[in-house]
Amino acid sequence: MDDALTDRSFSAMRPRLIRLAYRMLGSVADAEDVVQDACLRWLATDRETVRQPAALLHTIVTRLCLNELKSARRRRETYIGPWLPEPIVDAGEVESIDDITLPLMIALERLSPLERAAFLLHDVFGMGFDDVADAIGREAAACRKLASRAREHIQAARPRFLVTEERGLEIAAAFFTASRDGDLDRLRLLLADDVIASADGGGKVPASQRPLIGSGEVMARHVQLAQEFNQSPSRLIRYAMIDGLPGFISVEGGGIVQTTALHIEQGKIVAIYITRNPDKVRHLGRHLQARIETVWS
């Protein structure tokens, strides 16, 4: 098997491997680096002896992710403010569709690396526990326990009431308009009483250093923001599905690009996730630069 054919074979698996690595790491750049490393290791393998290429590739990527998580966890211990995964916008490819939304990504972050790997490989990617065991270096019985514990932890993060994409984007548009126009009465009607707002600036751009809990805190913050929006109006890039949640991409004061994702249940916004750390939105640039230039022109 020549490298050209192998490249074609690997390319067919690449979206799935990127998806696995992103679910493990919460970082687009790190996921791409891991999959590139996996490709090099795959090309160095005696592929004639490989009976299940997909299983081997999943194993390589999983083990690389587990190694990466050791250093990633140390970095996150000193992370400034709330940590959110890098936003994935409008992941429309068939290979990218699963039921892992942004709230579930945050729930995955709270699991141990082995729990996360066992859950993702078995529950999301459909691997048998014998293959999971090979991938993470544990007995199959231990992998069942790891996946079961993970399942219990993330169950509460699963949406209880699904909102259609169309309705979700309508609410996102209403939220953007009300918040940017300073229509606080309209904004209050969109929020659940127990809404939580998290903003990830990573200490590099202004953002709340802790989540805002309850409609009182969120509304108080938007009273302040109304003055800021009046002085430096937001520029909407577009509405979009962000890690499975309706939201929008905007350019804020100082030219800060941010994504806002809304978790909606029974017509009310129960969580607001704002990602504005420039390191985490950089990967959106190649997709959005033309739109940003159009909006600003």
Side-chain angles (χ1 to χ4, degrees), residues 19 62 118 120 150:
R19 183 172 136 230
T62 299
L120 287 171

Side-chain angles (χ1 to χ4, degrees), residues 234-245:
S234 297
R235 296 180 182 268
L236 176 68
I237 302 303
R238 66 183 176 102
Y239 298 107
M241 297 299 290
I242 300 168
D243 276 310
L245 298 183

Side-chain angles (χ1 to χ4, degrees), residues 108-187:
L108 286 172
E109 176 67 14
R110 301 188 185 107
L111 303 176
S112 73
L114 289 178
E115 287 173 339
R116 190 183 316 184
F119 172 78
L120 287 171
L121 291 174
H122 179 265
D123 286 42
V124 177
F125 291 87
M127 291 175 61
F129 279 117
D130 288 340
D131 289 332
V132 175
D134 289 339
I136 69 175
R138 295 292 188 274
E139 297 293 332
C143 291
R144 287 191 182 89
K145 292 180 180 179
L146 288 167
S148 178
R149 285 203 301 268
R151 208 174 295 123
E152 291 175 3
H153 283 297
I154 70 171
Q155 190 62 40
R158 291 192 179 279
R160 293 170 294 175
F161 307 99
L162 296 177
V163 62
T164 65
E165 179 175 334
E166 181 181 9
R167 178 58 180 151
L169 292 176
E170 287 176 358
I171 293 175
F175 177 86
F176 178 85
T177 300
S179 60
R180 271 53 181 184
D181 290 350
D183 188 348
L184 300 180
D185 290 335
R186 172 59 178 156
L187 181 61

